[in-house]
C-alpha cells in the first residue's frame, strides 16, 4: 500500500484547528476574485512568516472580511468539514475566536449553532471558544462567565500573542469551567519558551497544550508533561512556516514522543499555510518518520478525543487493522 493510500485509509482526528484560520481560500476567490489572487504569495512552499505580528496581520486581513455573520460561519464550516471527510478525518476539535461575537453583534451561541449545523454525517465535531489572555474585561467578562451554560460548547482555549502576561483571571476561570464539565486548552510553547508550557500545566491546569513544542528547551518541562499525561496538539507545517522550528527535519516532535509526551497532528490555520492534514503526515514521512510513528500519532488523537469509549475502541481497532495490512 502506498504511503498516501495508507494515511488516507486511517480514520484520523484533527484536534488543533482555528475555524477562522481554516477558511478555504477558494471561498474568498469565488466571493471577490479581484481582491484575492489565485496564488497568494504566502501560500508559496518556501514562504516563511517573519514574526507573529505579520502572521496575524495576514490571517485577520483575510478572515475578518468573511466572518461577519453566523451564516458565514456555517458556510465556511460546511466547506471545511467536507475537506475533512474527503481525507477520512472522523473527529475534529475546532475553536472560534470568542470576541468575534462582539465584533459582528452576534451571540456566541448562534455561532456555535451555525458551526454545529454544518457538521456532515460521519464526522464528530467538538467546538471550543478561543480567547486572548487579555479578553476578560468589559462585556466579554460576562460572556466568558456564562460559557459553562453553553451546552453545545465542548471547552475553551487561550490563544493569540503568547508573550502577553497571563492575567490572574485565567487560572480561576479555567478551573471553574472544568468543574462545569468543559475541556480547557492553552496555546503555549510556540512563540514563547518552555516556561509557558509549565505555566499552562501547573497554573492553568491544562492537560491539552496547543503546540507545546518549545518545551523541548527544558528537559524538566518535557518530563513534567510526560508524567502528567499532557497532550501536545502539534502542527508541524505551521511551526516551520512560522519559524518556530527551522525545518521539518529539525522539528522536536520525535524527541517529544521519545520522551513520553503524547502528541497529535493538526493543521492550525490552513487559510494561511495552504496545508491539509494529509500534507502534515506526508511532510513528516518525507522527514523520515516511519509508518509506525505516524500510526502512533493517529492513534494518539483518538486517545484524547471526546467520544464514548466504544467509539474510541472501534477507531483504534480500525487503525490497527490497516497497520497490520501494511506490515
Amino acid at each position: 500500500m502506498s504511503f498516501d493510500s495508507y494515511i488516507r485509509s486511517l480514520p484520523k482526528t484533527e484536534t488543533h484547528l482555528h475555524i477562522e484560520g481554516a477558511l478555504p481560500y477558494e471561498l474568498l476567490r469565488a466571493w471577490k476574485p479581484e481582491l484575492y489572487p489565485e496564488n497568494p504569495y504566502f501560500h508559496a512552499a518556501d514562504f516563511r512568516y517573519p514574526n507573529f505580528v505579520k502572521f496575524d496581520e495576514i490571517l485577520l486581513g483575510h478572515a475578518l472580511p468573511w466572518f461577519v455573520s453566523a451564516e458565514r460561519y456555517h458556510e465556511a464550516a460546511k466547506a471545511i468539514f467536507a475537506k475533512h471527510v474527503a481525507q477520512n478525518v472522523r473527529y475534529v476539535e475546532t475553536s472560534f475566536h470568542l470576541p468575534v461575537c462582539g465584533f459582528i453583534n452576534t451571540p456566541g451561541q448562534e455561532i456555535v449553532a451555525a458551526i454545529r449545523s454544518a457538521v456532515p454525517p460521519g464526522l464528530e465535531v467538538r467546538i471550543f471558544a478561543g480567547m486572548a489572555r487579555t479578553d476578560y474585561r468589559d462585556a466579554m467578562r460576562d460572556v466568558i462567565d456564562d460559557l459553562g451554560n453553553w451546552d453545545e460548547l465542548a471547552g475553551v482555549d487561550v490563544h493569540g500573542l503568547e508573550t502577553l502576561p497571563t492575567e490572574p483571571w485565567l487560572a480561576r476561570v479555567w478551573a471553574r469551567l472544568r468543574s462545569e464539565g468543559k475541556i480547557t486548552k492553552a496555546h503555549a510553547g510556540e512563540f514563547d519558551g518552555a516556561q509557558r508550557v509549565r505555566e499552562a500545566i501547573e497554573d492553568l491546569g491544562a492537560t491539552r497544550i496547543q503546540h507545546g513544542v518549545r518545551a523541548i528547551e527544558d528537559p524538566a518541562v518535557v518530563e513534567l508533561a510526560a508524567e502528567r499525561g499532557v497532550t501536545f496538539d502539534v502542527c508541524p507545517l505551521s511551526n516551520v512556516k512560522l519559524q518556530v522550528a527551522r525545518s521539518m527535519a529539525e522539528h522536536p516532535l520525535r524527541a517529544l514522543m521519545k520522551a513520553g509526551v503524547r502528541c497529535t497532528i493538526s493543521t492550525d490555520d490552513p487559510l494561511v499555510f495552504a496545508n491539509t492534514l494529509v500534507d502534515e503526515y506526508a511532510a513528516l514521512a518525507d522527514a523520515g518518520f516511519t509508518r509506525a510513528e505516524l500510526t502512533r500519532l493517529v492513534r494518539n488523537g483518538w486517545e484524547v478525543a471526546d467520544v464514548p469509549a466504544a467509539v474510541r475502541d472501534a477507531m483504534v481497532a480500525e487503525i490497527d487493522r490497516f497497520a497490520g495490512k501494511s506490515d
Side-chain angles (χ1 to χ4, degrees), residues 29-48:
R29 281 277 299 155
W31 178 44
K32 290 188 175 182
E34 71 280 8
L35 290 182
Y36 301 103
E38 184 174 357
N39 297 303
Y41 71 94
F42 52 87
H43 278 185
D46 61 352
F47 178 77
R48 300 293 182 267

Side-chain angles (χ1 to χ4, degrees), residues 231-232 234 253 256-257 261-265 296-297 300-301:
T231 299
F232 290 179
V234 180
L253 175 62
L256 290 167
M257 293 171 65
V261 178
R262 181 194 291 121
C263 297
T264 69
I265 299 301
R296 175 72 262 174
L297 289 162
N300 287 348

Side-chain angles (χ1 to χ4, degrees), residues 2-317:
S2 70
F3 170 79
D4 185 72
S5 296
Y6 176 68
I7 207 65
R8 287 181 183 276
S9 296
L10 297 180
K12 294 173 289 297
T13 68
E14 171 135 48
T15 52
H16 181 168
L17 183 72
H18 302 272
I19 200 156
E20 294 90 357
L23 173 67
Y25 188 78
E26 57 266 27
L27 289 185
L28 291 175
R29 281 277 299 155
W31 178 44
K32 290 188 175 182
E34 71 280 8
L35 290 182
Y36 301 103
E38 184 174 357
N39 297 303
Y41 71 94
F42 52 87
H43 278 185
D46 61 352
F47 178 77
R48 300 293 182 267
Y49 290 90
N51 49 52
F52 179 85
V53 172
K54 185 62 176 178
F55 157 75
D56 210 33
E57 173 190 315
I58 292 174
L59 174 60
L60 295 179
H62 287 76
L64 291 184
W66 176 271
F67 289 101
V68 296
S69 66
E71 290 76 17
R72 283 287 183 83
Y73 271 92
H74 172 87
E75 186 176 351
K78 186 175 181 180
I80 292 164
F81 297 151
K83 290 175 181 287
H84 283 115
V85 171
Q87 297 174 83
N88 197 22
V89 177
R90 310 277 187 88
Y91 174 88
V92 174
E93 292 177 1
T94 187
S95 65
F96 73 98
H97 188 51
L98 187 63
V100 167
C101 63
F103 303 159
I104 64 175
N105 196 29
T106 300
Q109 286 166 297
E110 288 188 18
I111 295 175
V112 173
I115 298 169
R116 171 64 53 202
S117 65
V119 177
L123 183 66
E124 289 287 337
V125 174
R126 303 293 180 265
I127 303 169
F128 289 70
M131 64 204 75
R133 288 169 167 80
T134 54
D135 280 339
Y136 194 66
R137 61 194 70 227
D138 303 327
M140 193 54 56
R141 180 192 298 263
D142 292 336
V143 175
I144 293 171
D145 282 341
D146 190 47
L147 292 176
N149 297 316
W150 294 19
D151 292 338
E152 290 294 318
L153 190 73
V156 291
D157 182 17
V158 59
H159 58 210
L161 186 59
E162 188 184 346
T163 53
L164 289 173
T166 299
E167 298 177 357
W169 68 269
L170 192 53
R172 182 179 70 254
V173 170
W174 256 222
R176 175 172 53 77
L177 287 170
R178 279 194 299 274
S179 74
E180 295 171 340
K182 303 303 182 186
I183 301 166
T184 56
K185 298 183 179 184
H187 276 61
E190 182 190 19
F191 284 97
D192 209 344
Q195 76 280 1
R196 274 303 173 87
V197 178
R198 180 181 291 279
E199 174 191 71
I201 297 170
E202 293 186 334
D203 298 346
L204 302 184
T207 57
R208 297 288 301 283
I209 305 298
Q210 308 294 272
H211 297 298
V213 294
R214 287 186 59 185
I216 202 68
E217 297 168 5
D218 185 343
V221 175
V222 175
E223 184 178 0
L224 173 69
E227 287 178 349
R228 297 277 184 95
V230 172
T231 299
F232 290 179
D233 293 312
V234 180
C235 305
L237 289 174
S238 166
N239 295 155
V240 172
K241 288 279 191 178
L242 291 169
Q243 303 190 71
V244 175
R246 285 183 293 185
S247 68
M248 197 62 69
E250 297 171 271
H251 196 285
L253 175 62
R254 177 178 275 144
L256 290 167
M257 293 171 65
K258 285 184 175 180
V261 178
R262 181 194 291 121
C263 297
T264 69
I265 299 301
S266 294
T267 59
D268 201 5
D269 296 289
L271 169 61
V272 290
F273 299 133
N275 56 335
T276 68
L277 193 60
V278 169
D279 290 339
E280 297 283 345
Y281 283 100
L284 291 171
D286 289 344
F289 276 68
T290 66
R291 286 196 184 188
E293 289 173 313
L294 299 176
T295 303
R296 175 72 262 174
L297 289 162
V298 175
R299 251 193 226 104
N300 287 348
W302 287 107
E303 287 182 3
V304 298
D306 180 24
V307 295
V311 173
R312 179 178 296 106
D313 292 345
M315 292 300 100
V316 170

